[in-house]
Amino acid sequence: MTNRIAFIPLRSGSKRLPGKNTKLFCKEPLAWWAIRAAANATSIDRVVVAIDKPLLPVMTSLLSQRKDDDTSKVEIYLRSSKSARDGAYTEDVMLEWIGEEYEYPEHAADRFFLVQATNPFTISFHLDNALSVFEQDNSGSVLSCAPLNKFLW
């Protein structure tokens, strides 16, 4: 049996755009677009949304209100205060959750998708296609990106 996991890290403490994960984008909270894409992807067995304590009531309410969407694959992981602090890297919460696989064998993944919640344009097809490319090309990893026509420095 495969265990293909989409991991979506969320944090409430954004300094540049406070509350960004719950701000509305096209009438839905920004994070919902990524959660829905992962939940609807046929290539994903489980969707783990890693949140900090301030987001717990918001995300619990959001998931309970989604009667038309399949949220049965979605589970909440309460990340530690260390991995949710300012200056914490995405890798911190990923390693924290993966590291628990020794205590919780269900955390072991055959395929691990890191899905960034700040991209509302990700759809389930993109995730399914990424797995197809990964397996077809026998790749070590797959990264999606888009061209940026902006001078950064």
Side-chain angles (χ1 to χ4, degrees), residues 69-143:
D69 292 298
D70 180 16
T71 57
S72 63
K73 293 196 276 187
V74 181
E75 58 193 74
I76 299 293
Y77 171 71
L78 192 57
R79 60 197 286 180
S80 71
S81 56
K82 181 181 178 184
S83 71
R85 76 186 191 295
D86 272 350
Y89 297 102
T90 299
E91 292 84 353
D92 294 335
V93 70
M94 288 169 47
L95 292 172
E96 174 183 283
W97 189 82
I98 290 169
E100 290 187 4
E101 76 178 65
Y102 299 107
E103 189 173 343
Y104 304 102
E106 67 272 13
H107 285 201
D110 298 314
R111 302 288 184 257
F112 189 91
F113 295 74
L114 173 62
V115 181
Q116 297 293 352
T118 52
N119 183 357
F121 302 111
T122 299
I123 58 175
S124 56
F125 168 79
H126 297 136
L127 300 170
D128 291 333
N129 193 49
L131 180 63
S132 177
V133 167
F134 178 82
E135 291 179 341
Q136 207 169 42
D137 294 348
N138 199 23
S139 303
S141 61
V142 175
L143 172 71

Side-chain angles (χ1 to χ4, degrees), residues 5-85:
I5 296 169
F7 190 83
I8 305 173
L10 303 178
R11 199 174 67 85
S12 61
S14 174
K15 298 295 184 219
R16 288 185 291 172
L17 188 56
K20 70 180 173 191
N21 292 310
T22 56
K23 286 199 181 296
L24 296 183
F25 178 80
C26 293
K27 301 181 183 178
E28 298 287 356
L30 181 61
W32 175 246
W33 296 100
I35 295 167
R36 187 173 79 177
N40 290 332
T42 58
S43 61
I44 293 174
D45 301 312
R46 296 169 55 209
V47 179
V48 176
V49 183
I51 62 171
D52 54 0
K53 281 187 183 176
L55 282 176
L56 186 58
V58 175
M59 294 311 299
T60 304
S61 173
L62 176 67
L63 292 174
S64 68
Q65 294 171 14
R66 301 299 162 178
K67 304 297 182 211
D68 295 336
D69 292 298
D70 180 16
T71 57
S72 63
K73 293 196 276 187
V74 181
E75 58 193 74
I76 299 293
Y77 171 71
L78 192 57
R79 60 197 286 180
S80 71
S81 56
K82 181 181 178 184
S83 71
R85 76 186 191 295

